[in-house]
């Protein structure tokens, strides 16, 4: 049985349309079924086949609705990898209990607040690396921080600030080697606990922060609870993670 020419037609289910599609290819009226097309003439391709191969030139579309309303600080481009250097904080159950108490109270002022899924202390801004820069960048970081020792961190670092400034200075030197943005001037080292879309500083300042501080102060063993060893520096680039142990 010989194959009929490929044609594009509506999938309405009409017998007449289907029969006509099997008999005649658009633009080929007057030639018999099965006859070869004229030289240089292209056969139309069905929509069902075209949709199997989406255009490779179209990049991914950012949908902020899938990320709680958050948007990228820079647009996605193929071959660009969002990169961030930080110290991870492993939350214990007691810490999460304290966080739940803080968030419950804070939401009376800003209901749209959402708890962070993971906790860290940033040592860099989010920057963009080309894929072939990732391994040299990580190696440069390892070389720079190899001599640093671990230290304690809390919700906001109140001791060891100079030590973290030294760490940031080394990370900044690597950023400069790759012509990337360095960290903020006079940074406040902290661990973010919650976030929301929009600027809610006015609602949070004043009584809210004072009441939250009171919850922390009254929480059992909060002083020890909010201490943690910074045992490693981590670099996240796209979906890749690299760890650099601290002595």
């Amino acid at each position: 049985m010989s194959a009929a020419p490929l044609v594009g037609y509506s999938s309405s289910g009409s017998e007449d349309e289907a029969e006509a599609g099997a008999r005649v290819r658009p633009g080929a009226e007057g030639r018999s079924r099965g006859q070869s097309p004229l030289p240089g003439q292209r056969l139309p391709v069905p929509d069902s086949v075209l949709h199997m191969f989406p255009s490779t030139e179209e990049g991914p579309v950012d949908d902020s609705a899938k990320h709680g309303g958050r948007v990228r600080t820079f647009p996605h481009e193929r071959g660009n990898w969002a990169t961030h250097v930080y110290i991870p904080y492993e939350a214990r159950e007691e810490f999460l209990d304290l966080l739940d108490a803080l968030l419950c109270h804070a939401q009376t002022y800003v209901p749209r607040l959402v708890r962070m899924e993971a906790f860290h202390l940033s040592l860099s801004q989010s920057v963009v690396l080309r894929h072939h820069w990732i391994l040299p960048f990580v190696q440069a970081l390892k070389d720079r921080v190899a001599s640093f020792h671990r230290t304690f961190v809390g919700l906001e670092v109140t001791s060891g600030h100079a030590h973290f400034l030294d760490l940031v200075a080394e990370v900044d030197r690597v950023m400069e080697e790759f012509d990337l943005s360095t960290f903020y001037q006079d940074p406040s080292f902290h661990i973010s606990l919650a976030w929301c879309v929009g600027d809610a500083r006015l609602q949070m300042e004043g009584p809210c922060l004072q009441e939250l501080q009171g919850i922390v102060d009254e929480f059992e063993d909060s002083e020890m609870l909010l201490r943690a060893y910074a045992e490693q520096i981590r670099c996240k680039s796209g979906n890749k993670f690299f760890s650099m142990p601290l002595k």
Side-chain angles (χ1 to χ4, degrees), residues 46-61:
D47 290 342
S48 59
V49 176
L50 288 174
H51 293 160
M52 294 172 61
F53 306 98
S55 171
T56 57
E57 296 180 358
E58 296 180 0
V61 178

Side-chain angles (χ1 to χ4, degrees), residues 84-88 121 123 141-142 144-146 148 164 167-168 170-171 230-236 242-246:
H84 178 219
V85 182
Y86 61 96
I87 293 175
L121 185 147
L123 298 177
L141 278 177
K142 289 180 178 179
R144 287 286 182 182
V145 305
F148 279 84
F164 282 103
L167 268 176
V168 168
E170 297 301 329
V171 174
E231 298 180 337
Q232 60 177 299
I233 291 174
R234 190 172 293 172
C235 177
K236 180 180 184 293
F242 304 90
S243 294
M244 288 141 273
L246 296 173

Side-chain angles (χ1 to χ4, degrees), residues 5 19 30 39 47 50 53 70 77-78 81 93 96 98 111 128 133 157 166 168-169 189 197 231 236 241:
E19 185 179 353
D47 290 342
L50 288 174
F53 306 98
R70 289 174 290 183
E77 292 183 20
R78 190 178 300 277
W81 293 61
E93 183 177 353
L96 296 178
L98 172 58
V128 174
W133 289 355
V157 174
D166 291 341
V168 168
F189 298 106
V197 175
E231 298 180 337
K236 180 180 184 293
F241 291 86

Side-chain angles (χ1 to χ4, degrees), residues 143-162:
D143 294 342
R144 287 286 182 182
V145 305
S147 61
F148 279 84
H149 295 261
R150 70 182 65 178
T151 189
F152 288 102
V153 300
L155 289 180
E156 181 177 8
V157 174
T158 55
S159 62
H161 187 85

